[in-house]
Amino acid sequence: MSITQEMPEQPADERIHNFEEVALGYTEEQAMLEAERCLECKTPKCVEGCPVNIDIPGFVSKMKEGNFEEAIGVIKKTNTLPAVCGRVCPQEEQCEKLCILGKKSEPISIGRLERFCADREREAGVKDPVVAESTGKKVAIVGTGPAGLTAASDLAKAGHSVTMFEALHEAGGVLIYGIPEFRLPKAIVKEEVEYIMKLGAELKVDYVIGRIKTLDQLEDEFDAVFLGTGAGLPKFMGIEGENLNGVYSANEFLTRVNLMKAYRFPESDTPIKRGSHVIVVGGGNVAMDAARSARRLGADEVSIVYRRSDEELPARREEIEHAKEEGIIFRLLNNPVRILEGENMSVNGVECIKMELGEPDESGRRRPVAVEGSEHVIDADIVIIAIGTSPNPIIFDGSKGLEVTPWGTIVVNEAGVTSLEGVCAGGDAVTGAATVISAMGAGKQAAETINDYLSK
Amino acid sequence: MAYKIVEKRQLVPDVHLMNIEAPDVAAAAKPGQFIILRIDEEGERIPLTIADYDVDEGFVTIIFQEMGKTTKQLAKMAAGDELQDFVGPLGKASEIEKIGTVVLVGGGVGIAPVYPQARAYREIGNKVISIIGARNESLLILEGEMKAVSDELLVATDDGSKGHHGFVTDLVKELLDGDEKIDRIVAIGPPIMMRAVAGVTDPYDVETIVSLNPIMVDGTGMCGGCRVNIGGETKFACVDGPEFNAKDVDFNLLMSRLSLYRKEEMESLDTYKKGCGDDCKCQ
């Protein structure tokens, strides 16, 4: 059995000096060879693993014929953001995990093939889609992250008049402000957003629901509302020194770098502190993105400080490997206890304590326990806190009746319906911080629900 | 999206007023709230307190002082030009209720955000005593406007060129030592002035509100860049504020965090000046 085609990448010693994309994508020859490996199962497991159920054997068989135009057509029937998903989905836990070839050999690189088709189409110039006949119904989408964009595109395709409200000055949510350019070029996100607008959806940026208008007002003005407001409120640790100069939330650090292009300062106006010793607290994808960005901003030493061990790191394996190749140091089983103050109330180091893993907790993961007397200081001038986020409550300001959990997430039923009639929600706003593709799945589900509701 | 500058005037040297066409923001705006603007594609997002708004005409008034790159670039724009982004209203509105006698203190460009509050306090029947201050008479803004919405207007200048010779805090203390019962003080201006007002009012048991101006990025609570220490607790000024009780504010932390990018701010301004040409007034 032939093995999978590896994707060319920028070498680590080069890429740490730029923000250009690390993974370079398949050549046509590679894409064809990889597509050939697919067995085109009669009951394809891979499709079950895809949260938006792309007809994977369907598009791969078109690729085998060299018909990339039809291949992307198959993908776009169920997925409006293929260039994004092909890049950032954790395929190893989804479609590729269930690929039958993976049992004895390596699974098909479905993500890379999806990416190839999307990139190929974009390079050739995306054709304008046919706009659906209007149903006369108005739907408001609050938030333009992966959930909102997916819901918006499906509802626009169904012929509803869709208006997307975005608080920031660009649409895309975490795709724009969170995931760095070197993993997901922003020009790609922009084009995918433009495609959704070509389907007939309207976009209002600089528009903060909860401030300009309340949710109650939206309910009056629209026939249905989808809340895809994400989990954008950063968590801090609550330790001493957390407000010192040089301590960032990962959200702030990444927003400055990605959305505001601070890595191009002073050509772009937004500054960022470039440290020589950077500590990133946390072990998820956001922590990897922050660490790798700090490295590219010229830090001599960047460390990940994580309280569990390598096995429990929540980030994608691929991102962890990329980070290691780029010289990021992993200080595992380590937890910050306070941030030390230097001159002018700025960071001068982090005092950490060693941890060991005890019994599993209610989440099934082994609980880290501090080793008494193991405190030690790590040099640092920048500290980035990447220990997670929770939903931002600003959306609820001035609105009544939306049921939320004690953690601030919106309560929905399995169809995505909230406690308010005609209001659906999905993505991180419901689940807390999760993945791009699960948010897209939720957006898709909510769009179906809204469509049914509006057809009654 | 683009937001048209419908009017621009210089109030005093380096301080400008702009009316920006933003009907949705104007319709929702309340005293105490702020906006974030971005001039162009390469621009940064800067917060400015709302100085006034006209719902019928659909514009929001901002007043700003030329300090660094972005405000200097903004100052060179004229009526008819457009801003790339203008987001708001942001932050919590001031809690304006009928309580009796309110003293409103504005320092420098801080007089601008005090103005809509003075008007709102007066409209619902409070007695409004306003104290405005500047380094000298030629830098004093909105005197006529403030007079029109105040029962009493007191002026202080550092050099004595107008009104009281000294700081606004001297006038605050005089009022507190006087016979009249003061029910609330609102002070807005540079952090050093607000800290001084907080110091003066502290022994008097009069509620004192200040409006904090930390560095902000998004202004919607998603980054914590604007975090401040209020009574030992971390708060985000953009969503929990910008107004807080003066006695709870850690002004030293605020001022230190405000100085974080001083070096970068100088670099940005220098780069801008170099690209501006010799005849430019920002040189």
Side-chain angles (χ1 to χ4, degrees):
Chain A
M1 197 177 292
S2 62
I3 59 154
T4 188
Q5 296 288 310
E6 288 306 325
M7 186 150 60
E9 284 179 354
Q10 256 200 89
D13 55 344
E14 254 173 49
R15 69 184 192 236
I16 58 167
H17 300 296
N18 66 58
F19 274 80
E20 282 152 40
E21 200 170 10
V22 168
L24 302 172
Y26 275 158
T27 61
E28 184 175 320
E29 192 193 1
Q30 280 181 307
M32 301 278 286
L33 282 170
E34 185 66 21
E36 276 306 326
R37 296 179 61 232
C38 177
L39 304 175
E40 293 184 50
C41 307
K42 283 268 181 317
T43 47
K45 290 277 173 206
C46 54
V47 179
E48 288 171 31
C50 172
V52 295
N53 305 120
I54 295 175
D55 174 9
I56 293 163
F59 93 78
V60 175
S61 89
K62 296 292 179 194
M63 289 186 76
K64 286 182 187 173
E65 297 163 14
N67 194 340
F68 304 119
E69 207 174 307
E70 281 188 31
I72 191 69
V74 173
I75 296 172
K76 279 197 165 170
K77 271 189 201 154
T78 51
N79 182 6
T80 329
L81 307 168
V84 171
C85 289
R87 285 173 167 82
V88 304
C89 275
Q91 290 100 2
E92 65 277 9
E93 290 167 24
Q94 296 172 337
C95 53
E96 293 176 15
K97 186 182 186 178
L98 300 182
C99 173
I100 201 85
L101 286 182
K103 293 212 159 134
K104 288 190 173 149
S105 165
E106 286 167 284
I108 301 283
S109 295
I110 300 163
R112 293 169 184 173
L113 293 179
E114 180 186 25
R115 169 185 165 155
F116 176 84
C117 293
D119 287 357
R120 175 92 177 206
E121 186 197 30
R122 209 179 51 256
E123 279 153 25
V126 178
K127 279 202 219 94
D128 289 354
V130 183
V131 176
E133 205 181 311
S134 173
T135 61
K137 304 278 187 183
K138 290 164 68 185
V139 185
I141 307 284
V142 187
T144 62
L149 291 177
T150 305
S153 70
D154 284 8
L155 290 163
K157 279 180 190 167
H160 305 304
S161 165
V162 173
T163 308
M164 302 184 277
F165 295 98
E166 169 56 50
L168 288 172
H169 57 259
E170 256 179 70
V174 76
L175 307 175
I176 283 285
Y177 75 76
I179 301 174
E181 182 80 16
F182 56 80
R183 277 216 294 139
L184 179 64
K186 301 304 150 219
I188 288 174
V189 181
K190 264 189 187 168
E191 285 198 44
E192 305 224 290
V193 172
E194 275 163 23
Y195 180 79
I196 293 170
M197 289 162 75
K198 283 178 187 160
L199 290 167
E202 190 195 353
L203 171 64
K204 282 183 186 283
V205 294
D206 297 337
Y207 212 104
V208 187
I209 300 301
R211 289 284 185 262
I212 279 196
K213 279 197 173 132
T214 63
L215 180 55
D216 296 2
Q217 282 171 305
L218 281 191
E219 284 180 73
D220 291 343
E221 290 172 30
F222 291 84
D223 299 303
V225 178
F226 174 73
L227 302 174
T229 44
L233 186 74
K235 286 182 188 160
F236 285 93
M237 304 186 72
I239 58 174
E240 188 187 324
E242 218 161 14
N243 291 336
L244 290 173
N245 276 335
V247 183
Y248 286 100
S249 72
N251 264 9
E252 180 183 2
F253 190 80
L254 291 171
T255 299
R256 284 180 179 270
V257 172
N258 298 323
L259 178 70
M260 306 309 297
K261 305 271 179 283
Y263 63 89
R264 292 178 51 231
F265 181 87
E267 282 99 74
S268 65
D269 294 339
T270 305
I272 189 133
K273 279 284 161 199
R274 291 169 185 253
S276 61
H277 289 71
V278 178
I279 284 182
V280 180
V281 184
N285 287 321
V286 174
M288 300 305 141
D289 286 344
R292 297 173 69 196
S293 297
R295 184 86 170 118
R296 283 161 173 75
L297 289 170
D300 299 323
E301 189 185 288
V302 182
S303 309
I304 295 274
V305 171
Y306 179 59
R307 62 197 184 127
R308 291 186 163 97
S309 70
D310 182 85
E311 210 177 304
E312 288 85 12
L313 280 169
R316 276 187 86 180
R317 224 1 88 172
E318 184 181 300
E319 304 311 323
I320 296 166
E321 291 313 317
H322 276 146
K324 284 182 178 165
E325 284 164 22
E326 290 166 12
I328 309 295
I329 299 164
F330 283 71
R331 299 177 193 269
L332 304 170
L333 291 166
N334 239 316
N335 205 26
V337 287
R338 68 186 173 115
I339 300 168
L340 306 177
E341 183 176 339
E343 274 175 36
N344 302 321
M345 297 178 91
S346 62
V347 173
N348 192 32
V350 178
E351 186 180 311
C352 291
I353 191 160
K354 289 220 163 28
M355 310 293 281
E356 52 190 24
L357 294 181
E359 293 301 309
D361 61 15
E362 51 290 358
S363 75
R365 292 191 303 177
R366 293 176 66 193
R367 190 193 299 271
V369 185
V371 180
E372 236 174 273
S374 68
E375 289 89 348
H376 56 286
V377 173
I378 306 172
D379 275 352
D381 46 11
I382 299 285
V383 177
I384 303 167
I385 311 287
I387 57 166
T389 53
S390 56
N392 189 334
I394 193 171
I395 165 82
F396 312 129
D397 276 8
S399 159
K400 292 170 281 294
L402 188 68
E403 195 187 335
V404 294
T405 68
W407 302 277
T409 53
I410 303 170
V411 176
V412 297
N413 67 13
E414 57 288 356
V417 184
T418 68
S419 57
L420 300 173
E421 197 190 328
V423 180
C424 284
D428 288 1
V430 167
T431 57
T435 61
V436 168
I437 190 67
S438 64
M440 290 179 59
K444 198 159 199 68
Q445 171 61 56
E448 257 175 52
T449 304
I450 289 173
N451 211 7
D452 290 347
Y453 171 75
L454 294 178
S455 313
K456 270 181 203 160
Chain B
M1 247 194 266
Y3 302 84
K4 198 160 124 196
I5 300 168
V6 286
E7 191 189 344
K8 186 216 168 184
R9 339 188 221 125
Q10 179 170 315
L11 297 180
V12 295
D14 293 342
V15 177
H16 308 267
L17 174 150
M18 273 182 182
N19 290 332
I20 313 289
E21 190 176 82
D24 291 347
V25 184
K30 301 220 166 46
Q33 292 186 299
F34 64 96
I35 57 92
I36 280 187
L37 65 80
R38 191 172 74 121
I39 296 176
D40 56 28
E41 240 354 279
E42 298 294 348
E44 62 179 334
R45 296 167 64 100
I46 63 158
L48 289 169
T49 314
I50 293 169
D52 205 353
Y53 44 91
D54 188 317
V55 182
D56 299 329
E57 300 287 324
F59 67 75
V60 174
T61 305
I62 52 171
I63 292 175
F64 62 94
Q65 184 164 22
E66 290 181 49
M67 304 277 280
K69 195 263 176 179
T70 299
T71 46
K72 283 202 182 291
Q73 188 185 356
L74 191 60
K76 282 171 73 177
M77 297 180 82
D81 290 346
E82 289 180 340
L83 302 175
Q84 178 100 17
D85 297 288
F86 192 81
V87 195
L90 299 168
K92 289 208 165 97
S94 313
E95 285 173 23
I96 292 174
E97 53 223 315
K98 188 163 182 222
I99 44 170
T101 300
V102 183
V103 176
L104 292 140
V105 189
V109 78
I111 299 168
V114 157
Y115 168 69
Q117 292 205 33
R119 189 178 58 192
Y121 272 113
R122 185 105 180 281
E123 269 170 7
I124 57 168
N126 292 287
K127 179 177 179 188
V128 168
I129 304 173
S130 297
I131 302 173
I132 59 174
R135 283 210 314 281
N136 60 56
E137 186 181 6
S138 70
L139 298 175
L140 200 63
I141 61 166
L142 302 180
E143 192 187 347
E145 286 87 344
M146 286 300 295
K147 194 161 199 164
V149 296
S150 308
D151 293 284
E152 208 178 309
L153 178 74
L154 304 168
V155 176
T157 49
D158 297 4
D159 67 351
S161 50
K162 173 134 201 172
H164 169 73
H165 186 165
F167 297 131
V168 289
T169 42
D170 306 336
L171 297 174
V172 173
K173 188 153 191 334
E174 267 176 41
L175 280 177
L176 288 167
D177 287 336
D179 298 331
E180 186 157 5
K181 184 173 172 288
I182 311 290
D183 297 288
R184 179 180 290 172
I185 295 174
V186 179
I188 307 179
I192 200 150
M193 174 216 123
M194 293 192 285
R195 184 176 67 176
V197 172
V200 166
T201 67
D202 191 44
Y204 288 88
D205 194 32
V206 174
E207 185 186 23
T208 306
I209 310 281
V210 289
S211 177
L212 305 186
N213 59 337
I215 292 171
M216 289 187 187
V217 185
D218 62 287
T220 61
M222 62 167 269
C223 88
C226 67
R227 60 198 191 275
V228 288
N229 186 332
I230 306 297
E233 256 184 88
T234 295
K235 299 273 181 195
F236 292 1
C238 72
V239 290
D240 300 319
E243 295 187 353
F244 295 100
N245 268 318
K247 67 175 165 49
D248 299 330
V249 174
D250 182 343
F251 284 102
N252 291 341
L253 179 75
L254 174 71
M255 285 192 259
S256 121
R257 285 185 65 83
L258 275 167
S259 69
L260 175 58
Y261 296 106
R262 197 153 284 161
K263 187 172 129 275
E264 288 81 3
E265 283 158 4
M266 290 303 297
E267 188 187 347
S268 176
L269 183 58
D270 284 347
T271 310
Y272 178 64
K273 282 179 175 173
K274 272 185 204 131
C276 244
D278 293 336
D279 56 344
C280 179
K281 71 178 179 68
C282 76
Q283 291 294 325

